[in-house]
Amino acid sequence: MDTNIAAQGASTQLAGSKRRLPPEFNIFLVLIGIALVYEILGWIFVGQSFLMNPQRLTIMILQVSVIGIIAVGVTQVIITGGIDLSSGSVVGMTAMISASVAQASTWPRALYPSLTDMPAIVPIGLGVGIGLLAGFINGQLIARTKIPPFIATLGMMVSARGISKWYTKGQPVSGLTEQFNFIGTGIWPVIVFLVVAIIFHIALRYTRYGKFTYAIGANVQAARVSGINVEAHLIKVYAIAGMLAGLAGVVTAARAQTAQAGMGVMYELDAIAATVIGGTSLTGGVGRVTGTVIGTIILGVMTSGFTFLRVDAYYQEIVKGLIIVAAVVIDVYRQKNRKKA
């Protein structure tokens, strides 16, 4: 009798410990597994270590930091059951516009000669503000006119890319001030990414904003009946996603120390991939910023690993597409099992 009670207690404790494991634990194990595979393949085919190269790891983290900033905003959009296809184009648009007021007076071909040598806060604020406006327009179209998010953000994607090309007639913007470029130097892009991730991790987990976001994604009708202003909240979510895309555009221009209309191409798909790999469900209501951070790092490890193994870029895109499809398939089965449970 005592033995049975003890066994039941032990099994209950074990089950409780399993339940306490964070949902990102399995994703983290996948990250470790992928890194170890590249480490083994590196010694076999290249004769070098993949993980024991600090410079390679630093470059990898810097490369995915911009995608990570976008992905934090995309995560919130997908949690509501929506999608944002415009973030990459918003990056290009905000990079061009913010850089145009960040040029130094010593640059002979300044776009606005009377607005040179501006304090860095001006172009940074302008880029973030324009991204916020683009997201606000997305939210308005989706919430007020009931246009599907796919169509609304697709329209913004095309329009924003067109604006970035029209703004300087396709010419790059160079000669940026050192003060503006500072945000893109060294480890600063990673710091910006981590600060953004921490802020919105807290917002989603511990604030009313997060509760409303999850409620809308889980069941929009139930959220509306419970008193949530669904339309106003969706506008807020899309505006935040646009704002973060604008911030990513500023960081991108500062990193490159120039701005071009083609910046940010396909960034929206990388951000969606990082979000889905990180465990956010495309059906809405499920997802965490911590998972998105790990998913972003997984993308970075994969890209860096392919380059390390000298795999052709075309194959990299093919594999990335297969991984996105696999992540969605896993999510579908996960949702079915959750409903059964």
Side-chain angles (χ1 to χ4, degrees):
M1 182 74 173
D2 292 339
T3 305
N4 290 336
I5 293 173
Q8 290 175 1
S11 62
T12 302
Q13 187 176 15
L14 180 61
S17 64
K18 287 181 179 178
R19 283 196 299 268
R20 283 194 296 271
L21 287 176
E24 297 82 7
F25 182 72
N26 291 335
I27 306 169
F28 182 72
L29 291 180
V30 170
L31 171 61
I32 298 299
I34 292 174
L36 291 176
V37 168
Y38 280 128
E39 179 71 11
I40 294 169
L41 293 177
W43 285 113
I44 294 174
F45 294 106
V46 185
Q48 297 179 14
S49 171
F50 173 71
L51 295 174
M52 300 304 168
N53 188 321
Q55 184 179 6
R56 180 183 298 113
L57 297 179
T58 301
I59 293 173
M60 178 193 72
I61 296 297
L62 286 171
Q63 287 175 337
V64 300
S65 58
V66 171
I67 299 298
I69 295 169
I70 301 170
V72 172
V74 171
T75 298
Q76 299 170 68
V77 168
I78 294 180
I79 288 174
T80 66
I83 197 73
D84 188 356
L85 300 178
S86 66
S87 51
S89 295
V90 172
V91 166
M93 178 177 67
T94 55
M96 292 291 288
I97 295 175
S98 62
S100 68
V101 295
Q103 291 181 294
S105 57
T106 54
W107 186 251
R109 298 186 302 277
L111 192 62
Y112 300 114
S114 60
L115 296 178
T116 55
D117 294 330
M118 300 289 286
I121 190 64
V122 174
I124 292 172
L126 181 62
V128 172
I130 290 174
L132 179 69
L133 177 62
F136 178 78
I137 294 172
N138 282 337
Q140 286 283 351
L141 289 172
I142 293 163
R144 304 302 182 192
T145 68
K146 308 303 179 185
I147 295 176
F150 180 89
I151 299 300
T153 58
L154 179 64
M156 179 59 71
M157 178 183 77
V158 177
S159 298
R161 186 63 65 190
I163 290 172
S164 64
K165 293 176 181 178
W166 161 83
Y167 189 68
T168 60
K169 303 299 185 289
Q171 298 300 314
V173 180
S174 303
L176 311 184
T177 63
E178 292 184 6
Q179 188 181 19
F180 176 81
N181 290 336
F182 180 76
I183 193 176
T185 58
I187 202 71
W188 277 105
V190 179
I191 294 175
V192 173
F193 170 37
L194 293 179
V195 169
V196 166
I198 290 170
I199 289 172
F200 286 100
H201 170 72
I202 294 171
L204 284 175
R205 287 206 65 184
Y206 303 109
T207 69
R208 188 171 63 172
Y209 168 81
K211 291 174 181 159
F212 286 5
T213 302
Y214 284 107
I216 292 171
N219 190 322
V220 65
Q221 294 303 326
R224 185 173 279 110
V225 170
S226 66
I228 297 175
N229 188 334
V230 173
E231 287 72 23
H233 192 78
L234 284 176
I235 293 171
K236 190 183 300 182
V237 170
Y238 279 91
I240 289 173
M243 178 187 70
L244 293 179
L247 177 61
V250 170
V251 174
T252 300
R255 276 198 69 201
Q257 300 186 9
T258 185
Q260 299 180 12
M263 282 179 164
V265 173
M266 301 294 287
Y267 278 18
E268 64 277 354
L269 296 186
D270 285 342
I272 293 171
T275 301
V276 174
I277 292 170
T280 300
S281 174
L282 286 172
T283 58
V286 177
R288 293 169 65 154
V289 171
T290 47
T292 297
V293 171
I294 299 173
T296 302
I297 297 174
I298 287 176
L299 273 185
V301 169
M302 288 175 51
T303 303
S304 180
F306 283 135
T307 304
F308 171 64
L309 296 175
R310 299 181 179 89
V311 176
D312 191 273
Y314 300 113
Y315 296 117
Q316 295 183 30
E317 297 298 326
I318 293 171
V319 173
K320 188 183 295 184
L322 293 174
I323 289 173
I324 295 173
V325 173
V328 174
V329 171
I330 292 171
D331 176 61
V332 170
Y333 280 102
R334 189 190 301 131
Q335 296 303 319
K336 287 182 179 179
N337 292 333
R338 185 178 289 113
K339 289 179 180 179
K340 289 179 181 179

